[in-house]
Amino acid sequence: MMSFYMKTDWQALAKAKGLDGNERVTAPLEALEAQFRTLTPKIELMTEPVNFYVLPLDGDRK
Amino acid sequence: MTILEAAAALRAGTVSSKELTQQCLAAIDKNNTRYNAFLTVTGDFALAQAAQADIELASGTDRGPLHGIPIALKDVFSTKGIRTTCGSLLYKDHVPDFDCAVAEKLYAAGAVMVGKAHQHEMAYGVTSNNPHFGPVRNPWNVDCVPGGSSGGSGAAVTAGMAFMAMGSDTGGSIRIPASFCNTVGLKPTHGRVSRYGVLPLDFTLDHMGPMTRSVRDAAVCLNALAGRDPRDETSSYAPVEDFLPPAQVSLQGVRIGIPEAGYYDRLEPAVLAATRHTIQTAAALGARVTPVETPSLFDLNTIGRVILLSEASAFFERYTDRKHLVGDDVRTLWDQGLLLSATDYINAQRLRRQYCEAFRRVFDSVDVLITPCAPATAKRIGDTTVTIDGVAEDFRLATTRFVRGINVLGFPAISIPCGFDGERMPIGAQLIAKPFAERQLLEVAAALEDASSFHRELPPGL
């Protein structure tokens, strides 16, 4: 599933954040964003972020 | 010699801890200039620990198989009074005033720490080509990388400088150098080994684990390392069992899954052949080998990269005023993380939940998955791309292709030696199990190791 998304202007964003924004930085982000936008439509409505960085993977706080 | 062999020799009185330690220190003295595996050598500290171990063993105090065994720690592990650089100029003079949980546990088990192993800067890369402290070199070919980020740990173990070296693994940083250096590398389940006192790269992807010369050595190390630590909020309450596989392991009835979703695409021919051979060995030993459908590996890698870039840059923010001290490759990743949105990070963590649940279901029908560890063997220091099947690929992304996603899941995985390519560079096979199933993972790995001799092979001249 591929949804419409607004491509980020990474170079403009980098400039606005005071970063260099050369192609070594921005080109991989363009590719990553394109891949990631194919996934986000798959997120089911009630899904919450994974929490095993707060709770252990076994989910048992005792 | 393995840890278990050395432990037997110590108890038989045919060698002392002092002698084992002197042998490792001599190997470091002889070859560290060549391999650059250690950033700090702690000779006096180690010899004092060894002397104590010898006194205890002679008086009948036996702390277990690591008692008196020389080991090393990657330089992300905080060590009291001993420089801990993280391979970075940001920490070049950093001397912690406490020991990390891993060091505490290894010392309590009687291990002898010979030094701090070199690594990729900030543990943020796969080559260990460190711009500040020089590249770590692969003992199998010193013109090649040892993998990373725990490259010094891999080189140290394969070069006889330590019986075990601890690594950290955020996207393959234990398993990749294990594969490239012909050692065993175990990434336990997230939460199994305390992260307390380890300089973080990524809060939710970091795992700590041993790199050793045999699967059973990795198991006895996990016995010492595993367990709840209230100082690490992610530390698990899961019961700690004896992880050491028995002398004879049967694979009869064990269900081995071969994932179909991209794990066997675009491999160097030698890697494909070695991995197939491993699978055939499992089948010959009685395992039920079946193809299995898994969620997309590439989706997992994408999710993992969003999380890694975001969390690492969040950690690095405190060093913004010293960014000029960071090497080009790490600074590039740091900037990338600063540009990703909070929305993307949160959605990556939501996707992570869905993929974790989907992957858990895979283990309803199989016990262990077998995959290649890396699609290619170690390449030359300075190479930034690798070409496989005529396709040029970024070396970092290629090398992490089969391992990064497992950090996203937090599941346990191990790399074991499974062959060599035509240039005699090592190849590793990756085994993956469900959360907290390290015992079964290690048993399958031990059975495969027992049926081969790859882990006994040594680099030229050693």
Side-chain angles (χ1 to χ4, degrees), chain B residues 192-223:
Chain B
R192 185 64 105 173
V193 175
S194 173
R195 299 176 303 123
Y196 172 74
V198 184
L199 293 167
L201 170 60
D202 186 291
F203 307 106
T204 74
L205 296 170
D206 289 349
H207 298 64
M208 312 304 144
M211 299 173 69
T212 57
R213 295 183 196 139
S214 80
V215 171
R216 288 182 179 81
D217 279 5
V220 296
C221 291
L222 187 60
N223 278 350

Side-chain angles (χ1 to χ4, degrees), chain A residues 8 10 13-15 17 19-22 24-29 31-33 35-40 42-58 60-62, chain B residues 189-190 204 228 233-238 299 302-303 305-306 309 323 328-329 332 335-336 338-340 344-356 360 408-411 435-436:
Chain A
T8 304
W10 295 105
L13 183 60
K15 192 175 172 187
K17 287 199 162 193
L19 302 173
D20 186 357
N22 65 49
R24 276 187 69 194
V25 173
T26 58
L29 284 174
L32 181 61
E33 181 181 47
Q35 293 161 5
F36 192 60
R37 292 290 169 255
T38 67
L39 301 181
T40 48
K42 297 180 185 173
I43 301 174
E44 291 160 15
L45 182 64
M46 300 304 286
T47 304
E48 294 187 9
V50 76
N51 63 3
F52 66 73
Y53 55 96
V54 178
L55 292 169
L57 191 57
D58 50 6
D60 186 354
R61 266 230 167 269
K62 290 188 182 165
Chain B
T189 309
H190 193 266
T204 74
R228 168 76 184 156
E233 284 215 328
T234 64
S235 176
S236 168
Y237 289 93
D299 292 357
T302 299
I303 294 162
R305 287 176 64 205
V306 171
L309 290 167
K323 205 171 178 183
D328 280 347
D329 65 330
T332 295
D335 281 354
Q336 288 173 0
L338 291 173
L339 294 172
L340 287 170
D344 286 343
Y345 172 71
I346 291 168
N347 279 333
Q349 294 286 20
R350 295 174 77 203
L351 284 161
R352 184 184 198 175
R353 175 182 288 280
Q354 289 182 195
Y355 278 76
C356 282
R360 276 182 192 269
V408 178
L409 302 172
F411 291 11
F436 303 105

Side-chain angles (χ1 to χ4, degrees), chain B residues 92-169:
Chain B
K92 74 179 172 60
D93 300 316
H94 175 57
V95 179
D97 60 1
F98 72 103
D99 283 320
C100 65
V102 161
E104 284 178 350
K105 290 199 167 202
L106 291 171
Y107 296 164
V112 170
M113 207 270 285
V114 295
K116 304 298 292 291
H118 196 2
Q119 59 172 84
H120 202 102
E121 181 180 13
M122 303 297 282
Y124 208 174
V126 300
T127 63
S128 303
N129 185 7
N130 190 302
H132 315 298
F133 301 98
V136 185
R137 295 179 180 276
N138 192 319
W140 291 87
N141 179 341
V142 292
D143 294 327
C144 291
V145 299
S149 61
S150 311
S153 298
V157 171
T158 204
M161 297 168 165
F163 285 78
M164 180 276 273
M166 284 297 298
S168 62
D169 190 320

Side-chain angles (χ1 to χ4, degrees), chain B residues 263-284:
Chain B
Y263 284 85
Y264 288 85
D265 299 338
R266 218 151 21 91
L267 306 177
E268 285 186 340
V271 173
L272 179 59
T275 313
R276 278 188 176 151
H277 177 74
T278 305
I279 294 164
Q280 287 161 358
T281 303

Side-chain angles (χ1 to χ4, degrees), chain B residues 372-436:
Chain B
C373 188
T377 54
K379 296 295 173 263
R380 292 190 171 260
I381 294 168
D383 284 358
T384 56
T385 60
V386 57
T387 301
I388 308 170
D389 280 352
V391 178
E393 197 173 348
D394 176 272
F395 185 69
R396 186 175 62 89
L397 296 182
T399 306
T400 55
R401 213 196 296 156
F402 304 129
V403 288
R404 183 193 300 282
I406 314 308
N407 293 67
V408 178
L409 302 172
F411 291 11
I414 191 169
S415 177
I416 58 171
C418 74
F420 294 87
D421 70 5
E423 312 267 305
R424 193 137 179 87
M425 296 305 288
I427 299 167
Q430 177 178 233
L431 282 61
I432 307 160
K434 66 184 177 185
F436 303 105

